[in-house]
């Protein structure tokens, strides 16, 4: 315990990095304040602003809670119309939306508004409707028109706060992981640089307990920081937007939830997202400690890890995957066993990186990938920790 506490003090004994985490927390609170202050709602001829607009949207959404049907959507459109941007002469690009949460959601998700930038005359048409809209409205006519349309009950509810929560949560975890790289990179490499490695290895606890203390301290700091950011965001969301919408379908805030094997509500979606982001933090620490145990300088360990954090993940997903897909498709072996298996394995590897786990990329993937992702994560983290012990004991 004494070694563990000492290592935590060493990790947190960097004022500039600690200031960075405090600034991140302050920015999150400021971002929520800005988002809440610019809220606007038009309901039955009356306009609300700020917190009043959020409360008005919550009351309105309660009127339409429950299964999302074509009749309910027609009621919303008939009452409020579709929503566009309010044109202002002094602004070249207006960002102020007319309407309220209900008709804005219908416009955003059941029309091509964001593609055309024009308010459509009606919903249920266009590319966006063909790709996503039919997954929301389940009626007998729609099932007859599209035989592969899954039978799901879509629950409507006030999800504006949860939509913003998940968006800023992902960015926060990405920023947090960068911060964790900077605090974990010196853990082992600093001992090399200060020439204290051989002194530590000569002590009774240097080759075993000290290594475990360093690893456990990093994990404790990382998980505590992650929980602090998560609970801060959750608390602000609950205080500003309320807890409405937790039983609404997760597809209302993330299209990926429409195509998975399970029907998720917002609460279940949030728990799975929590697990993915926590896995991203733990994986990040293990890989960073591996580089720290290999590099003589903390800067080298941090640079190598940062290069893998986003550029390598992007290269695997955007370039190598596309190149492999084109190769398999052009040779007509896309549906051969080893053809689609190669694509699936590469996809699992991409999903299992810190960057894509931070974005909760596991949401919406085929159910049979879950086991493969778990195996990859367990293998990488175990391998990194094992190599940390080997490298450190050798004084490398």
């Amino acid at each position: 315990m004494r070694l563990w506490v000492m290592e935590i003090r060493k990790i947190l004994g960097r004022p500039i990095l600690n200031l960075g985490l405090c600034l991140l927390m302050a920015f999150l609170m400021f971002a929520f304040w800005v988002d809440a202050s610019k809220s606007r709602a038009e309901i039955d001829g009356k306009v609300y602003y700020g917190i009043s607009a959020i409360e008005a949207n919550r009351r309105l959404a309660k009127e339409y809670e429950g299964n999302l049907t074509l009749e309910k959507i027609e009621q919303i459109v008939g009452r409020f119309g579709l929503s566009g941007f309010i044109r202002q002469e002094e602004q070249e690009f207006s960002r102020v939306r007319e309407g309220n949460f209900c008709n804005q959601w219908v416009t955003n998700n059941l029309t091509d508004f964001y593609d055309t930038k024009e308010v459509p005359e009606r919903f249920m048409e266009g590319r966006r409707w063909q790709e996503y809209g039919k997954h929301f409205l389940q009626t007998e006519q729609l099932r007859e028109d599209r035989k592969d349309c899954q039978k799901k009950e879509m629950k409507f509810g006030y999800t504006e706060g949860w939509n913003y929560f998940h968006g800023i949560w992902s960015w926060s975890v990405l920023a947090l992981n960068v911060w964790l790289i900077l605090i974990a990179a010196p853990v082992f490499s600093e001992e090399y640089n200060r020439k204290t490695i051989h002194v530590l290895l000569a002590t009774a606890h240097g080759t075993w307990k000290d290594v475990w203390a360093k690893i456990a301290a990093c994990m404790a700091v990382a998980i505590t920081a992650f929980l602090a950011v998560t609970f801060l965001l959750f608390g602000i969301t609950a205080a500003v937007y309320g807890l409405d919408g937790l039983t609404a379908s997760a597809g209302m805030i993330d299209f990926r939830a429409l195509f998975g094997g399970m029907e998720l509500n917002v609460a279940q979606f949030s728990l799975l997202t929590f697990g993915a982001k926590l896995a991203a933090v733990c994986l990040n620490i293990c890989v960073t400690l591996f580089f720290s145990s290999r590099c003589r300088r903390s800067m080298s360990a941090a640079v190598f890890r940062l290069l893998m954090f986003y550029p390598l993940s992007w290269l695997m997903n955007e370039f190598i995957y596309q190149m492999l897909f084109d190769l398999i498709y052009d040779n007509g072996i896309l549906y051969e066993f080893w053809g689609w298996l190669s694509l699936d394995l590469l996809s699992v590897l991409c999903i299992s990186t810190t960057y894509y786990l931070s974005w909760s990329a596991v949401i919406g993937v085929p159910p049979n990938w879950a086991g493969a992702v778990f195996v990859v994560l367990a293998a990488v983290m175990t391998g990194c920790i094992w190599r940390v012990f080997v490298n450190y004991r050798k004084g490398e």
Side-chain angles (χ1 to χ4, degrees), residues 154-376:
M154 302 300 299
K155 303 289 187 179
F156 186 82
Y158 181 68
T159 56
E160 185 173 6
W162 300 118
N163 186 37
Y164 187 72
F165 166 77
H166 280 278
I168 199 170
W169 192 17
S170 294
W171 283 110
S172 300
V173 172
L174 285 175
L176 178 65
N177 275 315
V178 173
W179 181 79
L180 291 174
I181 290 172
L182 297 178
I183 69 164
V187 169
F188 291 103
S189 58
E190 195 173 55
E191 306 293 357
Y192 304 145
N193 194 34
R194 292 180 176 179
K195 310 298 184 182
T196 56
I197 174 66
H198 298 295
V199 176
L200 291 173
L201 292 176
T203 63
H205 304 305
T207 60
W208 182 254
K209 288 186 178 181
D210 186 49
V211 181
W212 273 120
K214 291 178 182 293
I215 296 171
C218 278
M219 282 293 184
V221 171
I223 293 174
T224 301
F226 169 72
L227 292 177
V229 169
T230 299
F231 288 135
L232 174 66
L233 290 175
F234 182 85
I236 298 175
T237 303
V240 176
Y241 294 95
L243 297 177
D244 301 2
L246 283 174
T247 58
S249 295
M252 288 194 63
I253 61 173
D254 196 319
F255 282 130
R256 295 174 300 178
L258 294 175
F259 307 107
M262 299 182 294
E263 294 186 33
L264 299 174
N265 59 32
V266 172
Q268 295 166 335
F269 176 84
S270 299
L271 288 175
L272 288 177
T273 301
F274 176 87
K277 296 183 190 305
L278 179 60
V281 168
C282 294
L283 175 66
N284 185 31
I285 289 296
C286 291
V287 176
T288 303
L289 290 178
F290 164 74
F291 281 108
S292 179
S293 70
R294 288 289 300 175
C295 298
R296 293 283 175 178
R297 295 184 179 276
S298 303
M299 182 60 68
S300 300
V303 169
F304 282 126
R305 178 64 185 110
L306 286 171
L307 287 175
M308 289 185 62
F309 180 67
Y310 173 70
L312 182 60
S313 302
W314 178 87
L315 184 68
M316 288 173 57
N317 190 50
E318 301 294 336
F319 182 74
I320 298 178
Y321 181 88
Q322 188 61 47
M323 184 173 62
L324 179 62
F325 179 85
D326 292 340
L327 177 65
I328 292 176
Y329 183 81
D330 292 342
N331 287 276
I333 52 178
L334 180 61
Y335 297 103
E336 296 291 336
F337 173 76
W338 72 269
W340 59 258
L341 181 61
S342 300
L343 293 175
D344 280 1
L345 288 176
L346 185 55
S347 297
V348 168
L349 290 177
C350 292
I351 289 171
S352 303
T353 59
T354 299
Y355 178 79
Y356 287 106
L357 283 172
S358 299
W359 284 106
S360 308
V362 294
I363 302 296
V365 301
N368 59 338
W369 285 16
V373 171
F374 178 81
V375 169
V376 170

Side-chain angles (χ1 to χ4, degrees), residues 93-156:
F93 300 102
S94 178
R95 296 183 178 181
V96 179
R97 288 292 297 275
E98 60 185 0
N100 51 66
F101 167 76
C102 293
N103 72 333
Q104 287 173 6
W105 187 89
V106 171
T107 305
N108 295 344
N109 295 279
L110 304 183
T111 74
D112 276 349
F113 170 68
Y114 276 135
D115 294 333
T116 62
K117 306 302 180 184
E118 299 292 337
V119 180
E121 295 183 359
R122 61 187 303 272
F123 63 99
M124 294 178 62
E125 61 183 9
R127 178 191 61 82
R128 193 176 182 89
W129 163 256
Q130 293 297 328
E131 293 181 0
Y132 303 115
K134 289 186 178 181
H135 291 269
F136 289 109
L137 301 181
Q138 301 299 318
T139 65
E140 293 301 326
Q141 183 60 45
L142 290 176
R143 293 193 185 101
E144 292 179 4
D145 294 342
R146 184 178 178 184
K147 299 301 182 182
D148 64 339
C149 191
Q150 298 181 12
K151 186 177 181 179
K152 294 183 177 180
E153 290 186 351
M154 302 300 299
K155 303 289 187 179
F156 186 82

